[in-house]
């Protein structure tokens, strides 16, 4: 692209572009000249032109990092002239033969001119003349990446505060590069002044330990692999990719260090991430109204605990979700001790207060139970029956046959609605294994794990599976730096809220899909039942293969206790409503309606934006948060959560090579083998 400099206005345009390096980059100026023919008429053979290009002149060392104005033809009195009518060049231009690119001349860009959008960028892997780099280390890193990709080695011949030179390791090769900057001030960029980009040597494949095979270089190459938080890219994957794409063989240690470099590039430094947490919290509460965060530090400013509750979650839970909370250790704190759980429960109480009929379910961790009873005076604490089942399995070591008989009886006892049904199931447990039954009744306490004996209303939530599922998907993200971990959780909730809102809005039934399927199944049973009135609002319901029920539509109760404990109509209620033409959907709790589901996820979770765009007050900007003071544990860092006592975990299935049955190996096989002798 050529631009003729034909008048003072165009000179101002060029000076404006030259003064704005950030937007226009380095602007080289090329001149086309020819011999002047003596004539009274002005000669048009000589032109001043400006070309915007990153490529250097073929005959020289390339464009300078500053624009220059040169002309070989001058008047006999040495007064510079332009070639349009031999008019003298304005004094401003004569006095500014070489313009520093960072000098602000503040010219006015003509209204009919539009700034060009093509700018030299250092995002490309290639290095060309005129390319700008903010730091010398950035230039060296980019050069190492190119050398790694193109399989050559180089040596740094000169490295000062204003000049950098490097050449190929082969003495016979003419490849070399030179970059400079005008001063050693912080904001002055480096510019590539010369690069002979053709190798005259034989490019050999990089072997182990060669100069450019560095973990930092490989880490920058693979960093984009970790942009997706859920991406699992192991050191062995790195080794395989480097071998396939670059022909480079890395050791496992080199690949592991490269992985750590790549993760730090994308997710930040773990130690620095703690210091970023106050700024992130401020932006999070600003962009998401109603969000509450708490950061706890010790006396020396070291990190202790962090609590966050998004405004969208608070609003949805307080108004449209059943008052049951499942708690498991998704924590950013020192350990699961009394102080940590008490601090957490106090912050949770500050968010939701003493909500009526609140139930908190957890495993049998005594610290959680103690904190719940101390902070939530009106709440009821329950135990996950799945964890209780695991405790029994680990403590009593039943045989497989005995466990297969005990397990379903225990599940039926835990899920029973009626008191009589529970007693019958508990008696069966005593007959199967008296020791385990005594443990359930006197040690754990039936009021903690059995639905029928529970003091509050657990609805259908008898386990902490919902918390366990969240814990499971956080398996990989829990390795992230703290701020990246918190934002990963926020991004997950952002997607969940959007997906559930779309699903809720697509439902066509008054009840949610889950609740509607249950009610539809119960209606099928209710249509086969016989209803006998007792009073205007009370009915006796029999048949349908179920135990007889006594329904009170005015009090919304049934003797089977399903209606009271789940707040969802049972088959007896539906039968009574069908007989007397009452809309049984209206008897269900609003928690099960499609409208409540849509409203629970109506307020979206907003992103926090790029760190560079954050607006943070000075007092928060000056806050210092140091990493927690703790001795690093011995051995390799654990990646899997520690299961509760007796909890079933997925293990490798062993098959015997002798009898070919599962559960044992050949050495421990005791099964008889049929003789093959005739």
């Amino acid at each position: 692209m050529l631009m003729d400099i034909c008048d003072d206005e165009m000179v101002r345009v060029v000076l404006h572009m030259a003064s704005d390096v950030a937007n226009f980059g380095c602007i080289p100026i090329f001149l086309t000249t020819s011999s002047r023919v003596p004539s009274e008429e002005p000669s048009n053979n000589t032109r001043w032109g400006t070309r915007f290009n990153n490529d250097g002149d073929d005959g020289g060392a390339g464009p300078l990092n500053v624009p220059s104005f040169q002309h070989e033809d001058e008047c006999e009195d040495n007064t510079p002239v332009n070639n349009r009518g031999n008019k003298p060049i304005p004094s401003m231009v004569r006095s500014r033969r070489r313009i520093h690119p960072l000098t602000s001349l503040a010219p006015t860009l003509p209204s009919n001119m539009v700034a060009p959008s093509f700018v030299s960028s250092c995002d490309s892997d290639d290095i060309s003349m005129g390319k700008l780099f903010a730091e010398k280390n950035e230039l060296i890193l980019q050069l190492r990446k190119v050398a790694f990709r193109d399989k050559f080695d180089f040596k740094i011949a000169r490295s000062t505060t204003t000049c950098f030179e490097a050449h190929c390791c082969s003495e016979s090769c003419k490849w070399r590069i030179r970059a400079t900057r005008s001063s050693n001030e912080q904001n002055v960029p480096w510019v590539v002044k010369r690069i002979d980009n053709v190798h005259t040597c034989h490019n050999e494949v990089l072997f182990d330990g060669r100069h450019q095979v560095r973990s930092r270089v490989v880490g920058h190459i693979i960093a984009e692999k970790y942009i997706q938080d859920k991406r699992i890219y192991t050191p062995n994957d790195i080794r395989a990719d480097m071998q396939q794409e670059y022909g480079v063989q890395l050791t496992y240690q080199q690949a592991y260090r490269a992985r750590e470099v790549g993760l730090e590039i994308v997710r930040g430094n773990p130690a620095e991430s703690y210091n970023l947490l106050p700024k992130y919290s401020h932006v999070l509460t600003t962009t998401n109204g109603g969000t509450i965060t708490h950061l706890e530090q010790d006396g020396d400013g070291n990190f202790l605990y962090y609590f966050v509750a998004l405004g969208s979650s608070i609003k949805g839970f307080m108004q449209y979700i059943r008052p049951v909370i499942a708690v498991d250790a998704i924590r950013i704190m020192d350990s699961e001790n009394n102080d940590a759980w008490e601090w957490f429960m106090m912050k949770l109480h500050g968010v939701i207060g003493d909500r009526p009929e609140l139930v908190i379910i957890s495993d049998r961790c005594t610290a959680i139970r103690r904190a719940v009873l101390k902070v939530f005076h009106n709440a009821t604490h329950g135990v996950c029956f799945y964890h209780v089942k695991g405790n029994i399995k680990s403590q009593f070591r039943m045989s497989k046959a005995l466990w297969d008989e005990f397990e379903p009886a225990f599940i039926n006892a835990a899920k029973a609605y009626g008191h009589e049904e529970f007693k019958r199931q508990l008696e069966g447990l005593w007959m199967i294994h008296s020791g385990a039954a005594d443990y359930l009744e006197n040690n754990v306490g039936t009021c903690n794990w059995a639905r029928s004996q529970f003091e509050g209303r657990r609805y259908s939530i008898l386990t902490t599976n919902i918390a366990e599922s969240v814990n499971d998907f956080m398996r990989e993200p829990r390795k992230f730096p703290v701020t990246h971990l918190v934002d990963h959780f926020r991004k997950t909730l952002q997607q969940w809220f959007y997906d559930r809102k779309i699903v809720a809005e697509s439902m066509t039934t008054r009840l949610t899909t889950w609740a509607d399927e249950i009610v539809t199944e119960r209606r099928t049973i209710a249509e086969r039942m016989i209803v006998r009135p007792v009073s205007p609002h009370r009915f006796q319901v029999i048949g349908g293969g179920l135990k007889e029920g006594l329904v009170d539509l005015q009090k919304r109760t049934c003797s089977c206790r399903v209606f009271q404990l789940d707040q969802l109509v049972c088959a007896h209620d539906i039968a009574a409503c069908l007989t007397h033409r009452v809309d049984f959907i209206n008897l269900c709790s609003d928690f099960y309606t499609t409208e409540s589901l849509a409203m629970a996820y109506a307020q979206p979770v907003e992103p926090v934006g790029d760190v560079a765009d954050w607006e943070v007050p000075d007092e928060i900007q000056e806050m210092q948060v140091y990493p927690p003071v703790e001795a690093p544990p011995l051995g390799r860092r654990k990646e899997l959560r520690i299961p509760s006592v007796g909890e079933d975990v997925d293990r490798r299935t062993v098959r015997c090579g002798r009898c070919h049955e599962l559960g044992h190996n050949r050495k421990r096989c005791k099964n008889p083998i049929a003789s093959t002798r005739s």
Side-chain angles (χ1 to χ4, degrees), residues 90-364:
S91 59
M92 178 187 70
V93 180
R94 290 205 305 270
S95 63
R96 297 275 184 174
R97 286 294 185 91
R98 298 179 65 85
I99 308 298
H100 193 282
L102 298 180
T103 303
S104 177
L105 301 179
T108 303
L109 190 67
S111 60
N112 61 342
M113 292 295 297
V114 179
S117 60
F118 44 92
V119 182
S120 176
S121 171
C122 60
D123 292 338
S124 171
D125 285 340
D126 294 323
I127 300 178
S128 57
M129 262 190 300
K131 196 166 188 178
L132 301 178
F133 295 89
E135 301 287 345
K136 181 169 62 176
N137 289 338
E138 181 184 346
L139 167 62
I140 297 175
L141 176 62
Q142 191 72 14
L143 189 59
R144 294 195 190 281
K145 291 169 64 177
V146 173
F148 185 85
R149 180 195 64 190
D150 295 341
K151 300 180 177 64
F152 71 90
D153 214 347
F154 68 88
K155 291 183 179 179
I156 299 177
R158 183 183 180 188
S159 180
T160 67
T161 57
T162 58
C163 182
F164 173 82
E165 295 180 0
H167 58 79
C168 183
C169 284
S170 176
E171 297 180 356
S172 61
C173 184
K174 295 182 179 180
W175 182 93
R176 64 195 65 250
I177 184 175
R178 183 173 183 268
T180 63
R181 63 174 179 171
S182 58
S183 68
N184 57 2
E185 296 180 3
Q186 183 177 1
N187 295 327
V188 179
W190 290 78
V191 60
V192 178
K193 299 292 291 292
R194 175 181 178 179
I195 180 168
D196 299 329
N197 209 17
V198 178
H199 284 272
T200 58
C201 62
H202 176 67
N203 294 338
E204 298 178 351
V205 177
L206 290 174
F207 295 99
D208 295 339
R210 288 293 296 271
H211 191 62
Q212 309 310 329
V213 184
R214 299 189 177 189
S215 299
R216 183 166 177 262
V217 177
V218 178
H220 278 76
I221 293 175
I222 66 172
E224 62 181 12
K225 302 282 189 180
Y226 297 104
I227 294 179
Q228 294 292 335
D229 289 340
K230 295 183 180 180
R231 175 69 185 272
I232 299 177
Y233 193 56
T234 65
N236 284 329
D237 295 332
I238 298 173
R239 297 178 65 192
D241 288 350
M242 292 299 105
Q243 175 69 36
Q244 182 177 0
E245 298 179 15
Y246 299 97
V248 176
Q249 295 181 358
L250 299 178
T251 65
Y252 186 89
Q253 288 75 13
Q254 288 175 320
Y256 181 84
R257 290 193 295 268
R259 174 181 176 271
E260 295 299 308
V261 172
L263 288 172
E264 183 172 333
I265 293 173
V266 175
R267 301 169 183 172
N269 182 275
E272 296 175 356
S273 183
Y274 286 98
N275 206 33
L276 187 64
L277 199 55
K279 308 172 186 62
Y280 175 86
S281 301
H282 172 77
V283 177
L284 182 65
T285 55
T286 302
T287 56
N288 292 269
T291 297
I292 298 176
T293 63
H294 292 284
L295 174 62
E296 189 77 8
Q297 299 173 259
D298 62 13
D300 298 326
N302 298 306
F303 176 90
L304 282 180
Y305 315 125
Y306 185 72
F307 175 93
V308 57
L310 293 176
S312 305
S313 299
I314 297 173
K315 180 179 179 181
F317 174 77
M318 294 299 293
Q319 299 181 23
Y320 307 105
I321 300 297
R322 292 174 292 180
V324 180
I325 298 177
V327 177
D328 195 25
I330 306 174
R331 65 186 186 275
I332 305 176
M333 53 191 184
D334 51 1
S335 62
E336 291 190 74
N337 55 37
N338 295 335
D339 294 338
W341 277 116
E342 184 176 340
W343 182 90
F344 171 80
M345 292 299 172
M346 289 179 61
K347 301 308 176 186
L348 180 61
H349 182 269
V351 172
I352 64 177
D354 290 316
R355 182 177 176 180
E357 300 182 352
L358 178 65
V359 173
I360 298 178
I361 303 175
S362 69
D363 57 14
R364 295 194 65 207

Side-chain angles (χ1 to χ4, degrees), residues 526 529-533 539-542 572 575-577 579-580:
M529 289 182 165
I530 300 174
V531 179
R532 296 171 180 170
F539 306 91
Q540 179 189 19
V541 183
I542 59 176
H572 303 101
C577 290
T579 303
H580 292 78

Side-chain angles (χ1 to χ4, degrees), residues 594-640:
T594 301
E595 181 181 3
S596 293
L597 181 63
M599 292 301 297
Y601 298 99
Q603 182 175 331
V605 177
E606 300 291 340
V608 296
D610 192 86
V611 179
D613 300 329
W614 289 358
E615 296 182 1
V616 181
D618 294 338
E619 59 271 15
I620 297 179
Q621 195 78 31
E622 295 172 357
M623 286 185 63
Q624 296 292 325
V625 181
Y626 303 104
V629 179
E630 57 181 359
L634 298 177
R636 184 175 179 177
R637 180 177 59 185
K638 295 183 182 301
E639 297 184 359
L640 299 177

